[in-house]
Structures are given as structure tokens and as C-alpha cells.
Amino acid sequence: MSSSLRIRILISGLVGIVVATLAAVVLPAGPAAAHGNVTGPASRNYGCYERWGSKFQDPAMATADPMCWQAWQADPNTMWNWNGLFREGVAGNHQAAIPDGQLCSGGRTQGGRYNSLDAVGNWTPAPVGNTFNVRLFDGASHGADYIRVYVTKPGFDPVTTALKWSDLELVSQIGDTPAARWDAVTGGVQIDLPVALSGRTGRAMVYTIWQASHADQSYYFCSDVAFGGTSTPPVTTPPVTPPVSTSPTASPTTPAPPATGACSATYAVSSSWQGGYQGEVKVTAGSAAVKGWTVSLAYPGSQTIQQGWNATVAASGSTVTATNAGYNGALAAGASTTFGFIASGASAVPVATCNATV
């Protein structure tokens, strides 16, 4: 064999290797759509796919969008393969399943495929106003047992701080919502959850938990936002049905007293698991408007509160006290609001009392 022929064969082989290598990193035409993602405000991986999916090898990304760049370099599957960003068998106890600092990766699920989403840095934020909608796309039309939307508390800086459960406040949620009640779109269904805040400025994160209905699968999405954009009118959401309790017994409730006083409080356990439960309280103004409210829950034994939302919730011995948030203290006559909390231990029926500022 001549030397020139050997060189041509060698070159041909090298070209084949290069072509095969390039083919291995070419992304599919669209994201894997068996499940879903938060498309607005875009989750970290959906936003990176949206901005760079057609040019993910462009070196300009390293300076124009460095957090997306590090995520693409870590594992391109993170951006288009959404199917694995979930945990099974959590039974509602998300804090126990996912450690602080790992909320965006679902507790480093799927062997660490999504770990880059936990990286602290200057992720590209979506501009939002103090009212906006969170849009969840469901490519498999699973529907939801529930969807919960959290926003980080004022003062949290996602550019320098890893996300912890204690940084979050629950700002919107819906319960059992079959896919038939979502909006039909190309490739699946989608649903909007309204968020209404007040006085927020600067950077924040939105954290969405989607409990899909087809199995005990909990999906987790981090979105970066910058308050100061245009507000979106709240959408009309389907009627809320509380999540089904994981406890074998019915959820205990306290009967609602007649709303003849300044305010009344109705307590229920919306879900429970071994070692903890979620309590929810409905506060209703009486025959006159109120400017603020405080609810006391007297339990038969001591309580430990892990997290509260829509109120400042604290426990002292056997008494849990909740004071309204800045946005839900003022209630018109007969109007209602709700707050909730997660507590350790076994659920029990407390005596609920409500005091209002008129």
C-alpha cells in the first residue's frame, strides 16, 4: 500500500470520528416533552434552552449568559430533558427529601444530572411586576394533585446566596386539578397561577412544586425574576380542592364559629406523613371590615413549626400564633383569606381563636 493511500485512509477515518462526535452532541429538535416545565417566568433550564438551544456551542454564551454556560458545559441534557427533575415517594414532605442548597436540582436527583441548576450566580432574570402569572406546561397531560408557588423573602439575593427552604414564602397554590381543566396548547396543556405581592423590588427567585396526578412524583422548578417589570392582571384559576391527605384517617377540622365577632378561624390538616403534617387555616372577617388579624391555635401538646406562609407563624409550647402578612390583613366584611404551615410531630385538633384589629 502506498504512503499516499495510507494517508487518505487515515484522514477518512479521522473525519468519520469527528462526524460521529459532532452527531453525539447535536440536541434533538425540541425538549423531551413527556412531562413539563415552568415556561413563565422561565425556569432555569427552560430559559437556557429557550435562549441558547439552537446555538448551545456558541462561545459568546460564556460571557453573555455565564450561568447557562456552566449548565450547558456540565450536562446539556439538563436543558432539554425535563423528565427526570422529580422525586418519587416524597408524600408531601418536600423539606425532608431535598436539603437546603439543592432545591433547584430536586435534591440532586437523577444521579446529579441537574446539579448545575443549584449553582449560585447571576442567572438571567425575567422582569416581573408585583402581580404576575406562573405558567406550567404539562406535555403528558398528567394534571396535578396540587401546585405550589413560592417566592423568596425580601432581602434574599440569588446572585450570592444558595436557596434554602427558610428563604421561601408560599404565595399561590391550587389543589386537585385534572388536565381536562387546563388550557389545551400544542404538545400538551398548560395552566396559569396568579401571584399578587406588594412593595417588592430587586432580584428574587420563584420556586414551583408540581405534584403530578399520575403517580407520587413531585417536580421542582427554580425561576429567576427581577421585580420592576410590568404587572400582569391575575388570571382566574380553577376552584381549589385541597390535596388529599396521606394519612389513613380523615383530616381533623374545627367547626367554623359563627362570624359574628371581629373574625373567625377554621382549621384543617390538608396533608400528613410520618413525623409531620401541613395545617391550613381559613380566616373570615365578621360583620365589619378588619385591618388585621391574629389567630391562636391551642394544641393539646407542644408543636414545632418548620415553615409558614401567608402569615408570620410561630410556636410557643402548645400554642401556635399566626399574624397576617402585609398583603392579607385587611379584609372586607365577610371576606376570607388563608394561611398555612408545616409542623413536626403528629397532627391534632387545636382550639382556634381569632382576634382582629378593626
Side-chain angles (χ1 to χ4, degrees), residues 14-351:
L14 289 174
V15 169
I17 293 173
V18 170
V19 170
T21 301
L22 290 175
V25 297
V26 172
L27 296 186
H35 297 298
N37 209 327
V38 170
T39 59
S43 69
R44 285 182 169 178
N45 58 344
Y46 182 80
C48 287
Y49 180 86
E50 201 173 32
R51 293 190 295 275
W52 298 97
S54 63
K55 48 182 178 179
F56 68 98
Q57 293 174 312
D58 187 342
M61 190 195 325
T63 52
D65 204 345
M67 299 312 294
C68 281
W69 175 258
Q70 63 85 30
W72 280 105
Q73 301 310 302
D75 189 342
N77 286 280
T78 302
M79 260 54 69
W80 63 268
N81 187 348
W82 309 332
N83 294 353
L85 193 46
F86 68 86
R87 301 294 296 268
E88 291 188 301
V90 174
N93 196 5
H94 305 287
Q95 292 188 60
I98 300 178
D100 285 343
Q102 300 179 18
L103 277 68
C104 299
S105 68
R108 299 181 179 174
T109 190
Q110 296 294 309
R113 173 186 294 166
Y114 306 98
N115 288 8
S116 60
L117 302 180
D118 290 320
V120 177
N122 190 20
W123 291 85
T124 300
V128 297
N130 273 216
T131 61
F132 61 94
N133 299 325
V134 171
R135 173 163 292 177
L136 176 63
F137 169 77
D138 177 2
S141 297
H142 289 315
D145 287 342
Y146 58 83
I147 303 170
R148 296 174 186 159
V149 177
Y150 302 80
V151 172
T152 50
K153 299 174 183 177
F156 175 82
D157 184 2
V159 178
T160 60
T161 309
L163 182 63
K164 306 185 299 298
W165 287 104
S166 60
D167 296 320
L168 297 171
E169 293 180 323
L170 183 68
V171 295
S172 187
Q173 65 177 329
I174 60 173
D176 185 13
T177 313
R181 290 163 56 194
W182 296 35
D183 296 325
V185 295
T186 302
V189 294
Q190 68 184 24
I191 195 168
D192 289 338
L193 279 74
V195 175
L197 305 171
S198 62
R200 293 300 302 267
T201 59
R203 293 290 294 271
M205 290 178 66
V206 177
Y207 191 64
T208 305
I209 300 176
W210 170 32
Q211 184 70 31
S213 295
H214 69 296
D216 186 7
Q217 291 183 345
S218 306
Y219 293 79
Y220 305 95
F221 308 103
C222 283
S223 304
D224 293 271
V225 298
F227 288 105
T230 302
S231 291
T232 302
V235 297
T236 300
T237 57
V240 174
T241 302
V244 176
S245 172
T246 57
S247 171
T249 59
S251 298
T253 61
T254 54
T260 55
C263 63
S264 63
T266 305
Y267 170 87
V269 172
S270 60
S271 62
S272 61
W273 53 89
Q274 184 175 2
Y277 64 94
Q278 177 177 315
E280 293 190 352
V281 179
K282 181 179 181 180
V283 180
T284 303
S287 57
V290 302
K291 298 178 181 178
W293 47 263
T294 299
V295 172
S296 294
L297 304 174
Y299 284 87
S302 61
Q303 298 292 309
T304 300
I305 302 299
Q306 296 180 334
Q307 180 185 2
W309 52 89
N310 291 348
T312 300
V313 185
S316 178
S318 60
T319 301
V320 173
T321 303
T323 304
N324 63 269
Y327 53 84
N328 64 355
L331 298 174
S336 299
T337 188
T338 60
F339 70 89
F341 59 89
I342 293 174
S344 301
S347 60
V349 181
V351 176

